[in-house]
Amino acid sequence: MNWTPAALSQDIPSGSAAPGQLGDKDIVIWRSASGRIAAWSDRCPHRGMRLSHGFVRGEFLSCIYHGWRYGDGGQCHRIPAHPELTPPDAIKVPVFAVTESDGVVWVAQKDAEPEAPPPGLAGFSPLRTLRLSARPETVAAAFGGTGLDLRGELGGCAVVVLIQPLPDDQCNLHALAANGADTATLDRVSAALEALRRQAETAEEIAA
Amino acid sequence: MNGEAMRDQWYPVGIAAQLTPAGRDSLLLGEAIRIACDSDGAALVTDGAGRALPVITRFGHVWTTLGQPERDLFTIPEADQPGRRLVDVGTVLVRCSPLRAVENFLDIAHFPFVHTDILGSEPHTEVQRYEVEIRDDVDEVWATKVSFYQPQAAKSAQGGINAEYMYRVPAPTCSVLYKTCPARPEEWDVITLFVQPLTETTCQVWPWMALFDEDSSMTDMIHFQQMIFVQDRSILENQIPALLPLDPGMEIPTRADMTSIAYRRWLKRHGYTYGAQLVAA
Amino acid sequence: MRLYDYILSPSCYRVRLMAALAGIKLDLRAVDFHPGAEHRGPELLALNPAGTIPILTDGDLVLTQSTAILTYIAASHAPEWLGDDSPAMRAQVGQWLAFAQRLTDSAGAARLHDMLQMPGDIVALRRSATRTLRELEAAISAVRRRGGIFLVGDRPTIADIACFPYVALAPDGGLPLDAYPSIRLWMRAIRGLPGFVEMPGIHRLHELLPEPGPQPDVIRKERA
């Protein structure tokens, strides 16, 4: 298995959590106050609440439902209903492998961490992530490429478009644009991505 | 269908004061039903084939069943005390298991995080030991001697109090809460959660209250309870799995969850499993 | 100023939020919208024949459109929330107030359908809401490229307050916000504003408070 692009680093600032996905698994991607990124199962072991609805205080992520507080490695550190209790080691959120490079957050299964690093994206800066209702091959065809790592030009600018396949014939596009592109150019790339999405979704609807 | 035993139960399907001759369509345990009234205002509930279903009107709501209940619908004797104001709170549809909705109602540890500065607040998060039993004589789950610090326990409460609670589960999708009554410390306010299971993962929630409160307007009392319930809704729609897991390995309870443990055990014992997941998926 | 209010109405919440952020106390008059349908009763129809809430009264003035009420509160008590008076910014704020109505008509109608079973073509409503949310996401991503986060200019305005409630509550209508990273950060910026108040369905930013009290091992040592 390879690393899967799951988010852009700029979309998960320190002290925040966001929902993400790895294949059909729901994950929470969160960054501690000191800037450490983590990807965990998006489910509190207590009552199954999505941890991506939770809150980050310092180096810990807490569940919004009962405030159970989790730290490094997914370990539960505090149960507010029992402030005196040291939670047993067994109370743990399953964790995923995560790495950040060139402004992209990549995730993988913990027990199948890829040996090769994620593809190099030197020369490009993260632009934005878009969700669309089309299969990856439909998107690649609309872009005029193949595979999940599309490189070419959009809106008059060199771009990399990373496709993250999602369940139910959906995918995320994580788009990067050439370093140094000015704001007006980036606006054109963003508009071209919207156009690409419309084109792919229309093609998908016709195919269906 | 999962949970055949649940067919032989009574369920709330509407507010008695709001029936119309034209009626409206709904679901009960995944089956089509229709709720209307005759020219005298008496409730009429029919199944998908147009056959009349049994009807009870109680606690301001219309109740029906698809099966053959062995028992009458439970009663709440306290609610008949003179001087109580009876509050039809209305209804909200929730995309969750009907059993998850009841379990959440039985839970106090979430107050500081979900009902912040109303029913609870940090740092007052500790849940003291309380008592839970399955009362075999009445076949109900009871939790007593529950107490929790609350910044604003009811519409009529001024400032924080240590609120006392008793919880009662008289039917698989109904719970009755007896709670410290700010206006009359010697009495309990009665706050209920009646849940109509539409499907295993969607339900219609009909809260109802019988309160001693001479000061608040009816609208204020309704809004207070609607506010509390809708705060819960965003939690209930984001629990995974949507079904209530009865497999003990699926979720990790603590001492604060004793009511939920007893509720799950009682559901399992009776085969009340519509909306439940028996083994981990 | 008296607000005819319903705790679960995102349009009423717009007004409550604006007043809270501007530090203004409103005289709240609770309307039994559900289950009582009081907004369609004689007293409220006399004030607002359209049969909608919120309604704001201030002396003889009666306002019945939430975005107009935002304009009134800001203009009379907190003009910095109107944006500056440059032609472009005035027009942009006005454009977002109109956009907010599209949110009400799509995401808001989907929410009423899903929560209170009001009539509506839910598939069409969600499709329309998704288009609207995608436009907002694109707009906020453009603002972020310029170092900002609020819709117009470099500070929050009534444009943000008008759009925020129906966006934040979109999941109530079966419209998850997982796919909108810029919207998420924009909502976070609004929720972090001094004086912010929540409504049911929108949780407080608990991260703004410190974790209370000592940790378990310290408590046990102290009690020993």
Side-chain angles (χ1 to χ4, degrees):
Chain A
M1 275 298 284
N2 291 321
W3 290 99
T4 297
L8 298 179
S9 301
Q10 64 187 13
D11 291 336
I12 304 168
S14 292
S16 73
Q21 272 173 306
L22 175 60
D24 60 355
K25 293 198 168 57
D26 293 314
I27 59 175
V28 52
I29 307 171
W30 68 282
R31 194 186 302 277
S32 73
S34 73
R36 282 194 302 176
I37 194 93
W40 294 353
S41 168
D42 194 11
R43 183 176 183 276
C44 178
H46 175 221
R47 282 285 172 263
M49 180 63 196
R50 283 182 192 273
L51 286 169
S52 54
H53 288 242
F55 53 96
V56 179
R57 284 176 181 166
E59 303 303 298
F60 300 90
L61 173 65
S62 297
C63 177
I64 185 86
Y65 197 1
H66 299 93
W68 288 28
R69 188 176 205 226
Y70 300 91
D72 209 15
Q75 177 63 46
C76 182
H77 282 257
R78 188 162 186 269
I79 297 175
H82 308 295
E84 282 187 63
L85 178 82
T86 299
D89 292 347
I91 306 184
K92 214 174 228 177
V93 182
V95 303
F96 290 82
V98 62
T99 186
E100 264 183 304
S101 60
D102 299 311
V104 177
V105 180
W106 304 82
V107 296
Q109 294 283 359
K110 190 73 188 167
D111 51 9
E113 197 169 323
E115 284 175 19
L121 301 165
F124 292 91
S125 303
L127 183 64
R128 54 179 295 219
T129 295
L130 293 88
R131 172 78 52 92
L132 48 75
S133 297
R135 289 164 298 151
E137 49 272 33
T138 313
V139 182
F143 185 85
T146 54
L148 299 178
D149 183 338
L150 305 174
R151 308 207 176 203
E153 203 170 278
L154 273 181
C157 181
V159 296
V160 178
V161 177
L162 304 169
I163 302 180
Q164 177 192 3
L166 299 173
D168 303 324
D169 290 343
Q170 298 215 325
C171 53
N172 276 338
L173 303 187
H174 305 288
L176 297 88
N179 285 342
D182 60 22
T183 310
T185 304
L186 295 176
D187 287 348
R188 278 201 303 278
V189 177
S190 180
L193 286 163
E194 302 273 344
L196 175 67
R197 171 161 66 189
R198 283 194 294 273
Q199 195 185 335
E201 290 186 341
T202 305
E204 191 74 41
E205 273 175 28
I206 292 168
Chain B
M1 185 184 78
N2 220 354
E4 279 297 320
M6 281 176 71
R7 282 184 78 82
D8 298 327
Q9 296 287 325
W10 294 98
Y11 296 100
V13 294
I15 292 178
Q18 294 198 331
L19 303 173
T20 60
R24 62 181 175 81
D25 294 316
S26 186
L27 292 173
L28 182 58
L29 303 168
E31 297 182 25
I33 58 165
R34 185 165 184 78
I35 304 104
C37 64
D38 64 18
S39 52
D40 297 326
L44 295 171
V45 183
T46 45
D47 67 10
R51 275 178 315 203
L53 293 172
V55 167
I56 292 175
T57 300
R58 193 172 294 173
F59 318 125
H61 287 74
V62 177
W63 300 72
T64 193
T65 179
L66 296 173
Q68 277 133 15
E70 284 172 21
R71 299 196 295 180
D72 183 22
L73 174 63
F74 62 89
T75 59
I76 308 175
E78 298 82 357
D80 295 332
Q81 286 173 302
R84 284 188 190 263
R85 292 171 71 192
L86 309 181
V87 187
D88 297 336
V89 175
T91 187
V92 170
L93 189 147
V94 190
R95 283 176 290 249
C96 76
S97 154
L99 308 178
R100 285 244 193 229
V102 171
E103 182 175 80
N104 173 72
F105 187 77
L106 302 174
D107 179 77
I108 52 175
H110 72 285
F111 289 171
F113 302 97
V114 179
H115 309 296
T116 312
D117 291 348
I118 304 167
L119 300 184
S121 66
E122 292 182 287
H124 310 285
T125 55
E126 183 161 11
V127 176
Q128 302 292 342
R129 192 175 282 281
Y130 55 88
E131 291 179 10
V132 177
E133 59 182 329
I134 296 174
R135 294 187 180 168
D136 288 326
D137 54 337
V138 285
D139 194 24
E140 296 182 351
V141 181
W142 277 80
T144 55
K145 300 181 182 167
V146 184
S147 79
F148 203 69
Y149 177 84
Q150 301 204 327
Q152 189 199 346
K155 193 67 207 172
S156 58
Q158 297 293 326
I161 57 167
N162 217 36
E164 304 280 326
Y165 291 79
M166 292 192 293
Y167 286 97
R168 169 186 173 205
V169 182
T173 68
C174 294
S175 181
V176 182
L177 160 63
Y178 302 89
K179 178 174 177 179
T180 302
C181 172
R184 289 201 199 178
E186 72 285 4
E187 302 287 358
W188 298 94
D189 274 340
V190 172
I191 300 171
T192 71
L193 192 79
F194 302 145
V195 182
Q196 173 187 357
L198 302 172
T199 68
E200 289 201 271
T201 54
T202 54
C203 59
Q204 194 82 43
V205 173
W206 306 89
W208 181 77
M209 306 191 286
L211 310 178
F212 288 111
D213 181 344
E214 285 163 17
D215 301 326
S216 305
S217 74
M218 186 58 91
T219 301
D220 280 341
M221 291 191 288
I222 290 172
H223 286 191
F224 184 81
Q225 205 55 27
Q226 287 185 354
M227 169 179 72
I228 297 300
F229 190 75
V230 173
Q231 288 177 331
D232 287 318
R233 186 177 184 265
S234 60
I235 300 291
L236 290 169
E237 296 199 339
N238 285 289
Q239 284 176 276
I240 306 169
L243 297 173
L244 182 77
L246 293 183
D247 178 337
M250 265 297 277
E251 293 184 354
I252 303 173
T254 71
R255 186 158 45 75
D257 300 312
M258 289 195 316
T259 319
S260 139
I261 296 168
Y263 174 58
R264 292 186 186 199
R265 189 176 298 148
W266 181 76
L267 291 174
K268 206 168 177 176
R269 179 194 293 177
H270 288 290
Y272 296 148
T273 53
Y274 188 82
Q277 177 178 294
L278 284 166
V279 287
Chain C
M1 282 188 275
R2 164 172 281 202
L3 178 68
Y4 291 79
D5 181 42
Y6 177 42
I7 184 84
L8 300 185
S9 155
S11 293
C12 293
Y13 171 59
R14 279 176 179 151
V15 180
R16 293 197 303 272
L17 176 57
M18 184 69 249
L21 292 168
I24 294 163
K25 195 157 170 48
L26 296 170
D27 169 21
L28 295 180
R29 154 72 161 82
V31 176
D32 183 6
F33 180 89
H34 172 84
E38 191 189 357
H39 55 301
R40 291 199 293 268
E43 184 196 343
L44 270 80
L45 282 176
L47 271 178
N48 178 16
T52 60
I53 49 172
I55 304 168
L56 186 91
T57 59
D58 192 15
D60 291 337
L61 182 69
V62 180
L63 296 171
T64 60
Q65 292 291 335
S66 61
T67 53
I69 297 172
L70 297 186
T71 304
Y72 180 68
I73 291 176
S76 55
H77 290 90
E80 64 277 18
W81 286 85
L82 295 172
D84 68 35
D85 56 4
S86 69
M89 198 181 275
R90 274 194 191 180
Q92 283 173 312
V93 170
Q95 187 152 294
W96 282 116
L97 297 186
F99 182 87
Q101 186 60 44
R102 287 174 56 204
L103 288 166
T104 310
D105 294 342
S106 56
R111 177 173 179 270
L112 283 176
H113 175 276
D114 281 14
M115 260 176 86
L116 300 181
Q117 295 176 295
M118 303 253 176
D121 177 347
I122 189 64
V123 175
L125 289 173
R126 288 202 189 118
R127 197 178 296 137
S128 164
T130 299
R131 271 198 302 273
T132 316
L133 290 169
R134 284 176 170 187
E135 283 175 48
L136 181 64
E137 171 72 17
I140 301 171
S141 85
V143 165
R144 289 177 66 205
R145 285 197 287 282
R146 290 157 174 82
I149 190 66
F150 298 110
L151 295 178
V152 185
D154 54 8
R155 56 149 293 140
T157 64
I158 55 174
D160 299 288
I161 305 311
C163 293
F164 174 74
Y166 285 102
V167 174
L169 295 167
D172 284 348
L175 294 154
L177 293 171
D178 297 17
Y180 308 103
S182 290
I183 288 178
R184 186 170 56 250
L185 293 174
W186 167 75
M187 290 196 301
R188 194 179 154 79
I190 294 172
R191 290 161 74 209
L193 292 171
F196 176 84
V197 291
E198 63 262 36
M199 75 163 270
I202 299 174
H203 292 288
R204 188 173 303 187
L205 279 183
H206 291 291
E207 46 270 63
L208 297 179
L209 289 174
E211 185 77 6
Q215 296 302 296
D217 49 333
V218 180
I219 296 177
R220 262 179 290 119
K221 249 181 243 163
E222 278 175 0
R223 292 197 186 174

